[in-house]
Amino acid sequence: MSASPCLAGPAETRHTGGPGGERFAYRRSGRAGTTPLVTHPRPRGTMDHWDPKLPDLPAAEREVVVFDSHGLTASTGTPVGAIEEMAEGSLAFIRSLELTGLDVLGRSLGGTVAQGVALAAPGRVPRLMVAGSSAGGAPCLPAPPTRGRQTVGKPVNDDGTFLHLLFPEAEEARAAGLASLRRLGHRLKTSGAVIGPDAVRGQSQTIGTFKGFGERQEEFTLPALVALVANGAHGAHGVMIHSYPAYAMSQRPPNAKVILPSDAGHGFPCRHPEDFAHEVSRFLP
């Protein structure tokens, strides 16, 4: 099978209609005929905010799909706020492409949405990957640092915000963060993608009020492993979210794997994109 253009390069932006008349923007890349891997981005993220290495490396072996959900940049409709509504929006997109079997990958907030997709449609999703996220509602969860909460609430994310939230202070980690920003810039310079203030407020409210899927973890009876890729920084403590929820989450599903690097923060997939892609490829058939 031949590979289609990489997602970081000239992959074509397509559109598909949703049940409410909305139009979802998306891109498909990689090896046609394989089980698609449908991705869900971080807060304030769009399909152009994936570090290109993250979808492109797995796309060497299978098809990868990135998309914008309701009301985000290139997609029409009204942005939704609740995690369950975000998951239903993802399922509306999946149904519009008539995907009957797929694997899901979500990063940060997208990881929680990906869990909602797997819980809402277990027959469609044989494998789940969650990166730098949790099920929410973990008991005794340590509070994030005050500076982290303040930074998340800023109306605009600049490069300094990106580096602070996602990478440790160490020089090597910051260099990796800057390299990731440069890769992101190739697509963003053309698209100018940014989610609007209504969507930002909705996501912020959701993060602060979501009760979590903690009590539903036993429902993940997937036929393969549930890969839970946790964030860590300076002894596995991140600025955005503590790593404890990933450990707690690993105790519930019947087959779970946690990856917890000690030299990376919430941006672990961007810090070590080749390692992350290797874990994804090893996990997927």
Side-chain angles (χ1 to χ4, degrees), residues 31-233:
R31 297 176 66 87
T34 58
T35 300
L37 175 64
V38 179
T39 63
H40 300 75
R42 61 174 173 79
R44 304 188 191 218
T46 71
M47 62 180 176
D48 288 336
H49 285 87
W50 284 100
D51 181 322
K53 279 195 173 184
L54 299 182
D56 283 348
L57 289 169
E61 298 182 1
R62 65 145 52 195
E63 185 174 32
V64 178
V65 180
V66 296
F67 76 105
D68 286 340
S69 194
H70 293 95
L72 300 186
T73 59
S75 293
T76 65
T78 302
V80 296
I83 293 292
E84 293 83 359
E85 292 176 339
M86 294 179 187
E88 185 53 45
S90 177
L91 282 169
F93 165 72
I94 288 166
R95 294 184 186 111
S96 74
L97 294 185
E98 300 182 350
L99 301 178
T100 56
L102 65 145
D103 298 319
V104 291
L105 164 66
R107 181 181 168 202
S108 190
L109 174 63
T112 310
V113 175
Q115 293 172 68
V117 172
L119 288 168
R124 288 178 181 260
V125 182
R127 293 169 187 81
L128 168 67
M129 282 160 287
V130 178
S133 185
S134 76
C140 304
L141 171 64
T146 300
R147 184 183 172 194
R149 295 197 301 271
Q150 293 172 343
T151 305
V152 170
K154 292 173 62 176
V156 177
N157 280 177
D158 55 19
D159 288 358
T161 304
F162 176 86
L163 292 173
H164 170 69
L165 291 177
L166 302 185
F167 296 89
E169 297 288 343
E171 182 177 350
E172 186 177 354
R174 287 304 173 99
L178 289 170
S180 179
L181 281 171
R182 287 193 293 270
R183 292 191 294 269
L184 278 169
H186 291 298
R187 173 71 75 176
L188 291 172
K189 284 178 182 177
T190 300
S191 70
V194 61
I195 73 170
D198 289 344
V200 170
R201 284 191 292 270
Q203 291 182 356
S204 297
Q205 182 177 2
T206 292
I207 292 170
T209 60
F210 180 55
K211 300 298 184 182
F213 291 131
E215 298 303 317
R216 301 188 63 187
Q217 294 300 289
E218 287 84 355
E219 296 179 39
F220 285 125
T221 56
L222 309 185
L225 290 175
V226 178
L228 310 176
V229 187
N231 60 293

